[in-house]
Amino acid sequence: MADSTSIHNIVILGASFSGLGVAHGLLKAIPALQSHTSKTYKVTLIANSTHFWWSVGAPRAMLKPYPQSNDDSFIPISKGLSQYPPDRVEFIHAEITGLDTSRREVSYILKKETGLFAEVTSSLHFDTLVVAVGSTGPSPIYNLKGSHVPTLDAYKDIQERLPRAKTIMVVGGGSAGTETAGELGHLHGKHSPDPKDITILSGSERLLPALRPAIGKRAQEILTSMGVKTEHNLRLTASEKLNDGREEVTLSDGSKHTIDILLVATGRYPASSFLPSSLLDDKKRVIVDAYMRLPSVEGAYAVGDNASNSPGGIITVTTQVPATVKNIIAELSGEGKGKEWKPLTDKETQVVPVGPGGGVGAAFGWWLPSFAVKMIKSRNFMFPQAMKTVMGTA
């Protein structure tokens, strides 16, 4: 076994779609790379959660266990990493607290699932660094709040309260909010055995601002046919949890409402608070060049939602991850920078289920018919890809 001082340490911050994707790509390439360079490489992932969360399926799985149980949404990361030799890969469950680029060290505090448990901050040297921490937000229903446990608990809470709820408000007219409203309309709309008062606040003039107005209008028409009310130009300004579990909400027009279930699908931001400000742009994303590298840190890369050149979304990740892996391998092999990454398309591309029967969307600028949305995403929210992502076979 190689001496630890001779090992080239590849440290990946984050273990969601981007982090896991890069890890699998590198781990599969390491045997050939070691033969080529006669060096020893080790991949270490540092992440807040021991479980990979299939966030794509949240709008359906938060309302009822899907496809079979809540465990289908939260898969142990160890399942995928255990296929590699233990001296080649390590997973550290920790809160990342800092990055020292001059010392080339990542600092962290080891974690339990529900909180910190090490009193002393540890550090790890990196030779190659990949920042793949993604984004987060205020609600554990739509964002991991560190461990996967708060999100799992939020699922269970909604599933327990939904049967007796009468009023439900979804805040946010983007894809997550619209998809959630569609699932609610299917389960508890006016045509269901247990209809409820369901409202979605778009927060602007229309739903789905990333798509052309006509597509957002069509999404609203589908929701209306289910009995879901859409309110435009209203925002949530405050909410207070009442003793009986309900929420008192205040909207931007000054009105107050008491809601049984409040789902907030807004407010996402890069999870980059531990990084030096010199590495971030004005949106708190990691500044990268066309090769996904940090210009100011040798051997450092960023990929996914936290990268400054990323428009966000799973489609972007599916192209950024292999490009980043190839560029890292090129650098480690002494073959230069690799190839520039470019988005798959600069035309509108988004697939939005509005209930299991179909939905709306566009691909490469072409309007997708509802049946195509059903085939791509609505029928099962792509859950068969969840385990494949963990195992590196997606």
Side-chain angles (χ1 to χ4, degrees):
M1 181 179 295
D3 184 85
S4 61
T5 59
S6 67
I7 295 175
H8 184 104
N9 288 312
I10 303 171
V11 177
I12 301 174
L13 308 182
S16 189
F17 292 93
S18 298
L20 270 183
V22 171
H24 281 298
L26 291 174
L27 287 164
K28 291 173 182 178
I30 279 177
L33 180 63
Q34 290 186 160
S35 297
H36 178 73
T37 64
S38 299
K39 295 181 179 179
T40 301
Y41 300 89
K42 180 180 178 180
V43 174
T44 302
L45 296 95
I46 307 177
N48 261 322
S49 178
T50 58
H51 288 58
F52 170 79
W53 172 42
W54 187 247
S55 56
V56 175
R60 182 167 297 170
M62 71 171 72
L63 303 178
K64 62 177 182 178
Y66 186 88
Q68 300 295 328
S69 74
N70 286 325
D71 290 340
D72 295 322
S73 292
F74 305 94
I75 305 172
I77 294 168
S78 59
K79 282 191 174 183
L81 299 184
S82 62
Q83 63 188 292
Y84 304 106
D87 61 346
R88 191 177 297 167
V89 62
E90 181 180 3
F91 178 84
I92 299 176
H93 180 211
E95 177 85 25
I96 305 168
T97 57
L99 173 66
D100 188 328
T101 57
S102 60
R103 295 173 60 90
R104 299 182 72 78
E105 288 183 346
V106 177
S107 55
Y108 59 89
I109 303 176
L110 295 174
K111 289 187 65 177
K112 291 181 178 178
E113 285 297 353
T114 54
L116 307 180
F117 70 90
E119 296 181 0
V120 180
T121 299
S122 301
S123 63
L124 179 67
H125 170 78
F126 67 85
D127 297 296
T128 298
L129 178 71
V130 180
V131 182
V133 290
S135 55
T136 187
S139 171
I141 281 290
Y142 297 101
N143 309 274
L144 282 188
K145 306 293 287 183
S147 162
H148 76 288
V149 173
T151 299
L152 174 58
D153 288 344
Y155 274 30
K156 293 176 179 178
D157 177 62
I158 289 176
Q159 291 163 6
E160 191 275 328
R161 290 191 293 127
L162 185 59
R164 64 178 184 273
K166 299 299 182 184
T167 55
I168 306 168
M169 178 176 287
V170 180
V171 178
S175 59
T178 302
E179 290 175 356
T180 303
E183 293 299 306
L184 286 166
H186 171 71
L187 292 175
H188 297 292
K190 64 183 182 181
H191 303 297
S192 75
D194 182 21
K196 302 180 186 298
D197 185 337
I198 306 166
T199 302
I200 178 172
L201 306 183
S202 72
S204 63
E205 295 180 351
R206 60 187 180 91
L207 297 175
L208 304 175
L211 295 169
R212 74 193 75 167
I215 297 180
K217 180 181 179 182
R218 178 57 187 148
Q220 181 174 339
E221 290 171 350
I222 298 173
L223 291 174
T224 299
S225 71
M226 296 175 166
V228 176
K229 294 176 289 186
T230 303
E231 297 286 352
H232 298 301
N233 298 312
L234 278 178
R235 295 178 179 271
L236 177 71
T237 58
S239 65
E240 180 182 356
K241 195 86 168 181
L242 303 177
N243 291 334
D244 60 6
R246 295 184 298 168
E247 300 263 2
E248 183 177 85
V249 302
T250 304
L251 304 183
S252 54
D253 63 355
S255 63
K256 294 182 180 292
H257 308 266
T258 301
I259 305 296
D260 291 323
I261 294 179
L262 176 67
L263 302 172
V264 181
T266 60
R268 290 179 66 82
Y269 54 89
S272 58
S273 60
F274 67 93
L275 293 170
S277 59
S278 59
L279 302 181
L280 307 177
D281 65 10
D282 58 356
K283 296 180 180 178
K284 305 300 181 183
R285 300 187 301 175
V286 182
I287 298 170
V288 297
D289 62 17
Y291 299 88
M292 308 305 299
R293 302 178 310 171
L294 278 65
S296 59
V297 185
E298 182 181 356
Y301 298 77
V303 61
D305 287 356
N306 62 198
S308 61
N309 64 353
S310 173
I314 301 302
I315 294 175
T316 297
V317 170
T318 61
T319 59
Q320 278 193 346
V321 163
T324 303
V325 170
K326 289 180 181 178
N327 290 349
I328 293 173
I329 297 299
E331 180 181 32
L332 297 180
S333 301
E335 299 173 356
K337 298 184 294 185
K339 295 184 178 180
E340 294 185 1
W341 174 79
K342 295 181 179 179
L344 191 62
T345 178
D346 59 358
K347 298 180 180 179
E348 58 176 351
T349 297
Q350 191 175 48
V351 181
V352 184
V354 189
V360 300
F364 303 97
W366 295 92
W367 190 325
L368 288 175
S370 183
F371 75 85
V373 175
K374 178 179 180 179
M375 294 298 296
I376 296 169
K377 192 175 181 182
S378 297
R379 59 176 177 168
N380 60 15
F381 268 90
M382 304 171 71
F383 262 93
Q385 295 297 311
M387 183 61 74
K388 292 180 180 179
T389 300
V390 172
M391 300 305 297
T393 57

